[in-house]
Amino acid sequence: MPVWCCRCSLAGHFRNYSDTETEGEIFNSLVQYFGDNLGRKVKAMPLVEETSLLEDSSVTFPVVIIGNGPSGICLSYMLSGYRPYLSSEAIHPNTILNSKLEEARHLSIVDQDLEYLSEGLEGRSSNPVAVLFDTLLHPDADFGYDYPSVLHWKLEQHHYIPHVVLGKGPPGGAWHNMEGSMLTISFGSWMELPGLKFKDWVSSKRRNLKGDRVMPEEIARYYKHYVKVMGLQKNFRENTYITSVSRLYRDQDDDDSQDRDISTKHLQIEKSNFIKRNWEIRGYQRIADGSHVPFCLFAENVALATGTLDSPAHLEIEGEDFPFVFHSMPEFGAAINKGKLRGKVDPVLIVGSGLTAADAVLCAYNSNIPVIHVFRRRVTDPSLIFKQLPKKLYPEYHKVYHMMCTQSYSVDSNLLSDYTSFPEHHVLSFKSDMKCVLQSVSGLKKIFKLSAAVVLIGSHPNLSFLKDQGCYLGHKSSQPITCKGNPVEIDTYTYECIKEANLFALGPLVGDNFVRFLKGGALGVTRCLATRQKKKQHLFVERGGGDGIA
């Protein structure tokens, strides 16, 4: 199996450009060279053996994207040269934003001042570019309107930035692993990516869309099809697992020295003598026969688009590793489908107050399995997700919330036959005889016999390939990265990590858990990289050719 590492010599390729050639023509020539030559070699999937020396000459990718879910797909789409423009007849319902857009109608949104456009906008994301892009794609969606997007897309191939997208499975990421029987929390149209309406794709499959919400498996197929129909396949590599992403350094006193890995101790001693260079990405690819082929890539920029579903959060209590304790819906669903819980008189314990926990309640309830539902919050807590969902659109979740409010435990009634909620309680421990100990906010303890337990209290991303598990990138550097409590700290307009230059993060890693808003990350990253590429272009022109390529 060949290895990823595209070898080529740039020497002699670049000619001296005449003064009559425009800046754009020069840049187009460079893009064509990198796009065509790099693209051909990447298709052959060259990889470097794990034992290869780092000193080996190799072409460095401008961008490597880790994660092939909707965040990574959307970023690949925009790096491939697709540019959003204000549609010729579009009028945005936000009059202030509309007047700003009219000022530069001839420019793509990528080439405009995102901070200026984002100013004053409000939405369900803490990232202003995410709110801006969502406002352009779904005007006034939070007010219940279904206005069409004010954008249209053009493929401008001279804006192509060579990149590769690495994912564990097919394009779509975690959507291929989600429980197939549940409906998405978002409308189908909110799950779509730029340039291909979800409803158009559904109708092409000769299936009538009965409601606005759809099955996760449909979304997974849509994302996979999107990559194909948009011509992005050449940038995607499946079955890849990342083991390390690290910086290379170079002695700044020696321009001819090779990039190399410097130990942290050595770097601290002589920090002033070294400058940060490119990224080294190591991992392996699982091939058809099940074997693992190691690879090594080099990149100027790395974009983290891994999502946060890799590692389910644990309670960190005694007995949580017993086999009757599950930590994901697929595990619980598989146990039910295999009949392991059929005929059990003891209840299933479900821990959590989010939508995944609600899915588990519905799954057990519909299978006639009694439920003990434990959560730390009060049922009147305004931050509960159920309070943000319209009843007409989400009747099944409001059914769960109604039970949470009306079927709570009391000493007089004990457990109810089908469902009992325990607000303001937490689990103290699990016992080997399949019992659990609960404690109320007042300190009162209760013991119950179980048939199974399902802990659904969120999840963490797997950033084990980064130093310190990536914790140093978060707002709270001593804690793991999470979507809500401790997202990656970024520049909110470029999505570049505050604590690591040339490392970008988008999607759930930066707090954007809904597909509606994660698309803004792709816009921010693309604008940042395009701006830097233009600066390199100017530098190349000023130097007069051959020596100017970094």
Side-chain angles (χ1 to χ4, degrees):
M1 183 87 178
V3 199
W4 295 1
C5 197
C6 315
R7 304 172 185 275
C8 81
S9 171
L10 299 183
H13 170 77
F14 298 109
R15 53 192 171 84
N16 290 324
Y17 291 92
S18 68
D19 294 336
T20 59
E21 287 181 297
T22 67
E23 190 177 88
E25 289 171 334
I26 296 172
F27 187 48
N28 288 350
S29 178
L30 298 182
V31 170
Q32 183 178 355
Y33 173 76
F34 278 108
D36 293 347
N37 288 276
L38 186 58
R40 280 198 298 271
K41 296 177 182 179
V42 170
K43 282 181 186 175
M45 287 192 62
L47 291 180
V48 195
E49 298 291 352
E50 191 70 36
T51 56
S52 294
L53 297 176
L54 295 180
E55 288 77 13
D56 288 350
S57 172
S58 65
V59 166
T60 298
F61 284 91
V63 187
V64 168
I65 303 169
I66 300 176
N68 65 353
S71 296
I73 295 172
C74 192
L75 180 54
S76 176
Y77 176 77
M78 298 190 72
L79 293 181
S80 295
Y82 286 94
R83 288 290 183 267
Y85 288 84
L86 184 65
S87 297
S88 57
E89 299 178 358
I91 300 176
H92 197 282
N94 183 317
T95 55
I96 297 176
L97 177 59
N98 191 70
S99 64
K100 291 179 180 179
L101 294 169
E102 288 288 356
E103 292 171 9
R105 178 180 278 274
H106 62 290
L107 292 177
S108 79
I109 303 300
V110 174
D111 297 313
Q112 297 187 40
D113 185 340
L114 300 183
E115 185 171 0
Y116 173 64
L117 293 178
S118 303
E119 187 179 20
L121 298 179
E122 295 181 354
R124 289 189 289 170
S125 171
S126 58
N127 297 311
V129 176
V131 175
L132 167 66
F133 207 28
D134 178 69
T135 300
L136 297 173
L137 293 168
H138 306 288
D140 283 356
D142 285 335
F143 296 104
Y145 296 105
D146 189 23
Y147 294 134
S149 168
V150 297
L151 301 178
H152 73 104
W153 293 82
K154 295 180 183 179
L155 176 57
E156 299 175 342
Q157 293 181 337
H158 60 282
H159 286 312
Y160 175 75
I161 297 177
H163 62 281
V164 64
V165 185
L166 307 178
K168 295 177 183 177
W175 284 93
H176 290 279
N177 303 320
M178 291 186 185
E179 185 68 22
S181 62
M182 303 298 173
L183 293 173
T184 61
I185 187 66
S186 297
F187 298 155
S189 61
W190 289 358
M191 313 297 290
E192 68 190 21
L193 297 179
L196 179 62
K197 289 186 177 298
F198 181 77
K199 287 183 178 179
D200 292 345
W201 175 79
V202 168
S203 63
S204 72
K205 300 298 176 185
R206 295 185 174 86
R207 190 186 78 83
N208 293 323
L209 195 62
K210 295 180 181 179
D212 289 316
R213 295 167 62 205
V214 293
M215 306 284 275
E217 63 184 34
E218 294 177 296
I219 297 297
R221 289 201 305 270
Y222 164 80
Y223 290 145
K224 189 174 181 180
H225 176 77
Y226 181 92
V227 168
K228 181 179 180 180
V229 77
M230 293 300 174
L232 308 179
Q233 311 99 305
K234 64 181 181 295
N235 303 316
F236 282 71
R237 299 292 175 272
E238 300 178 18
N239 303 313
T240 58
Y241 298 79
I242 309 302
T243 55
S244 73
V245 174
S246 56
R247 278 284 197 185
L248 297 175
Y249 293 83
R250 189 178 74 180
D251 190 332
Q252 63 182 359
D253 296 328
D254 183 3
D255 288 338
D256 295 325
S257 67
Q258 297 290 335
D259 291 345
R260 52 195 172 117
D261 199 2
I262 305 294
S263 70
T264 303
K265 185 176 180 181
H266 188 186
L267 189 61
Q268 289 174 342
I269 294 173
E270 302 184 41
K271 193 170 183 179
S272 60
N273 294 330
F274 295 96
I275 56 175
K276 289 183 178 180
R277 294 293 292 169
N278 295 323
W279 293 96
E280 176 195 77
I281 301 100
R282 288 183 178 269
Y284 62 88
Q285 184 176 38
R286 192 178 65 224
I287 56 179
D289 63 4
S291 61
H292 294 170
V293 179
F295 65 81
C296 177
L297 293 174
F298 302 96
E300 294 176 14
N301 303 280
V302 170
L304 302 175
T306 60
T308 61
L309 296 177
D310 290 309
S311 304
H314 284 56
L315 295 168
E316 307 296 343
I317 59 173
E318 176 191 347
E320 196 172 1
D321 56 351
F322 285 131
F324 67 89
V325 182
F326 305 119
H327 289 86
S328 73
M329 268 300 295
E331 282 183 304
F332 181 48
I336 290 179
N337 292 336
K338 291 176 182 177
K340 291 182 178 180
L341 303 177
R342 188 176 299 140
K344 298 282 186 181
V345 293
D346 295 320
V348 166
L349 172 73
I350 296 173
V351 184
S353 60
L355 296 178
T356 307
D359 285 339
V361 170
L362 289 168
C363 190
Y365 187 86
N366 293 333
S367 301
N368 297 314
I369 300 171
V371 172
I372 293 176
H373 188 189
V374 175
F375 45 96
R376 289 178 176 268
R377 300 183 187 184
R378 293 174 289 109
V379 291
T380 55
D381 190 326
S383 64
L384 283 174
I385 185 64
F386 307 101
K387 291 185 172 293
Q388 303 171 33
L389 304 177
K391 288 185 179 181
K392 285 187 177 181
L393 294 175
Y394 305 98
E396 76 279 30
Y397 288 128
H398 278 276
K399 176 182 178 180
V400 173
Y401 181 54
H402 179 72
M403 292 193 299
M404 289 167 64
C405 296
T406 61
Q407 296 180 221
S408 57
Y409 176 84
S410 70
V411 178
D412 297 330
S413 64
N414 287 317
L415 292 182
L416 302 176
S417 59
D418 54 358
Y419 171 94
T420 309
S421 70
F422 285 78
E424 298 183 274
H425 280 69
H426 64 276
V427 184
L428 276 183
S429 63
F430 294 104
K431 304 299 181 182
S432 58
D433 58 357
M434 298 185 72
K435 290 181 180 178
C436 71
V437 181
L438 306 184
Q439 186 174 37
S440 69
V441 69
S442 64
L444 186 64
K445 296 179 183 178
K446 309 171 187 68
I447 300 176
F448 295 101
K449 183 77 165 63
L450 308 174
S451 61
V454 195
V455 179
L456 299 169
I457 55 172
S459 59
H460 303 300
N462 180 6
L463 298 176
S464 59
F465 49 81
L466 293 172
K467 69 178 182 180
D468 300 327
Q469 310 284 315
C471 292
Y472 77 105
L473 298 173
H475 288 263
K476 305 169 187 174
S477 57
S478 62
Q479 298 180 16
I481 300 297
T482 60
C483 176
K484 292 182 179 179
N486 189 36
V488 173
E489 188 177 11
I490 56 168
D491 179 300
T492 52
Y493 296 98
T494 66
Y495 285 74
E496 186 172 26
C497 296
I498 295 294
K499 296 164 186 171
E500 194 73 85
N502 304 107
L503 181 65
F504 298 82
L506 61 163
L509 290 175
V510 299
D512 288 329
N513 222 9
F514 291 99
V515 176
R516 269 182 66 189
F517 296 107
L518 60 77
K519 290 172 276 195
L523 174 60
V525 174
T526 301
R527 188 185 190 286
C528 178
L529 295 177
T531 301
R532 291 178 183 176
Q533 193 177 53
K534 286 180 181 178
K535 290 180 180 178
K536 282 189 178 183
Q537 173 190 345
H538 287 304
L539 180 62
F540 175 83
V541 173
E542 288 173 3
R543 290 186 179 182
D547 299 330
I549 297 299

